């Protein structure tokens, strides 16, 4: 039986009932198919895809076209979750008009909304995107796309002053219309306070259990990323190790003549080789 399409009202219903929302960063069709089968509520095609799968050393070099290409792969595998796509680098900051146009490209491909790492200077961009009818998830705490400005990826909100600055940005983004706030590697205390006091859904990515939604990154879940998996982010598999074993076995057997096996080859139909030899004379 096909699942119903998850919409904003369904996510709001879960929040109202106290039911946990489960989401995942997702960047490829196989992962999207599994997410669909499991019944995940929300998928985000984010910058960890181009980084973990394609080898970018930072989000600063991720191109919007790469992000959209991966989104198309996700959309081929999943349809019922609420699906959003990251707007990397300057796609949501150069001008308000350009930000809206870029967000429109995302939803034109079939996504339900966009994911943005705001600053106080880009809040008006969010306001315009929401005014255009495009839902926005705001990303706070550790903001990979602002790693240079923030001097790295250190856990966020661990001092009172820093936590207050994050709340200021979150509140400005809520005023601009975001429907959810995703906190990455922020202090448990700050995330819990936001969960208990802010009027939007709060999701945790490495920010503790006190949230309406729990989020994780597909590459990190399965232990398969060229980008170092952040500390204190639980890994549930070793796909990288399994790949290494499989590739090593293939290489060894191909090198020493054990692969391919004769029985795995294709043969001409009976009598055809003799005809072929005649044709070659």
């Amino acid at each position: 039986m096909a699942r119903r399409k998850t919409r904003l009202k369904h996510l709001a219903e879960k929040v109202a009932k106290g039911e946990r929302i489960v989401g995942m960063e997702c960047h490829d069709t196989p992962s999207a198919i599994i997410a669909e089968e499991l019944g995940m509520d929300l998928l985000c095609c984010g910058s960890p895809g181009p980084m973990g799968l394609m080898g970018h050393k930072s989000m600063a070099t991720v191109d919007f076209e790469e992000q959209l290409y991966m989104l198309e792969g996700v959309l081929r595998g999943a349809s019922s979750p609420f699906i959003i796509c990251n707007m990397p680098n300057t796609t949501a900051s150069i001008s308000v008009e350009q930000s809206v146009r870029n967000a429109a490209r995302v939803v034109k491909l079939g996504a339900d909304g966009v994911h943005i790492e705001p600053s106080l200077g880009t809040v008006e961009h969010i306001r315009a995107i929401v005014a255009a009818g495009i839902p926005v998830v705001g990303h706070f705490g550790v903001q990979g796309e602002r790693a240079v400005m923030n001097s790295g990826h250190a856990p966020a909100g661990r001092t009172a002053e820093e936590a207050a600055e994050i709340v200021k940005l979150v509140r400005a983004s809520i005023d601009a219309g975001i429907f959810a706030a995703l906190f990455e590697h922020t202090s448990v205390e700050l995330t819990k306070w936001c969960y208990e006091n802010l009027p939007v859904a709060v999701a945790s990515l490495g920010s503790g259990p006190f949230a309406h939604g729990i989020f994780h990154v597909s590459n990190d879940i399965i232990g398969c990323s060229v980008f170092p998996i952040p500390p204190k982010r639980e890994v549930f598999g070793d796909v990288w190790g399994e790949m290494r074993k499989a590739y090593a076995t293939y290489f060894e057997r191909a090198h020493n003549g054990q692969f391919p096996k004769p029985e795995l080859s294709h043969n001409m139909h009976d009598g055809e080789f003799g005809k072929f030899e005649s044709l070659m004379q």
Side-chain angles (χ1 to χ4, degrees), residues 11 13 15 24 33 44 52 71 85 87 103 128 153 167 188 218 257:
L11 298 175
E13 288 168 0
V15 170
M24 182 174 76
I33 290 172
C44 176
L71 172 63
C85 183
M87 294 181 64
H153 299 85
V167 171
V188 172
S218 58

Side-chain angles (χ1 to χ4, degrees), residues 220-232:
D220 297 345
I221 292 171
I222 63 176
C224 186
S225 175
V226 299
F227 188 73
I229 296 174
K232 296 190 178 182

Side-chain angles (χ1 to χ4, degrees), residues 248-263:
T249 300
Y250 156 71
F251 178 81
E252 179 184 357
R253 293 183 183 178
H255 184 70
N256 65 24
Q258 291 177 290
F259 177 86
K261 297 177 181 178
E263 62 268 26

Side-chain angles (χ1 to χ4, degrees), residues 107 112 127-135:
V107 296
D112 300 300
R127 192 183 308 277
I129 291 170
V130 173
I134 300 172

Side-chain angles (χ1 to χ4, degrees), residues 5 26 29 31-33 35-36 43 73-81 83:
K5 173 64 181 176
C26 186
T29 305
S31 297
I33 290 172
E36 177 80 24
L43 298 180
V74 171
L75 292 168
R76 294 185 190 108
S79 57
S80 57
I83 299 175

Side-chain angles (χ1 to χ4, degrees), residues 27-56:
H27 321 106
D28 59 89
T29 305
S31 297
I33 290 172
I34 295 172
E36 177 80 24
E37 292 172 347
L38 291 172
M40 290 194 184
D41 302 298
L42 190 147
L43 298 180
C44 176
C45 184
S47 294
M51 292 177 68
L53 295 177
M54 305 306 292
H56 285 275

Side-chain angles (χ1 to χ4, degrees), residues 86-161:
N86 185 49
M87 294 181 64
N89 304 325
T90 55
T91 54
S93 62
I94 292 177
S95 72
V96 170
E97 179 181 353
Q98 187 178 71
S99 295
V100 175
R101 289 184 183 277
N102 287 334
R105 290 186 67 190
V106 171
V107 296
K108 187 175 181 179
L109 286 176
D112 300 300
V114 296
H115 165 277
I116 295 174
E117 296 187 0
S119 68
L120 288 175
T122 61
V123 166
E124 291 309 310
H125 297 245
I126 292 174
R127 192 183 308 277
I129 291 170
V130 173
I134 300 172
V136 177
V137 171
H139 185 122
F140 306 95
V142 173
Q143 295 179 312
E145 295 179 24
R146 301 186 185 281
V148 174
M149 292 289 291
N150 297 333
S151 299
H153 299 85
R158 302 182 79 179
T159 67
E161 292 78 10

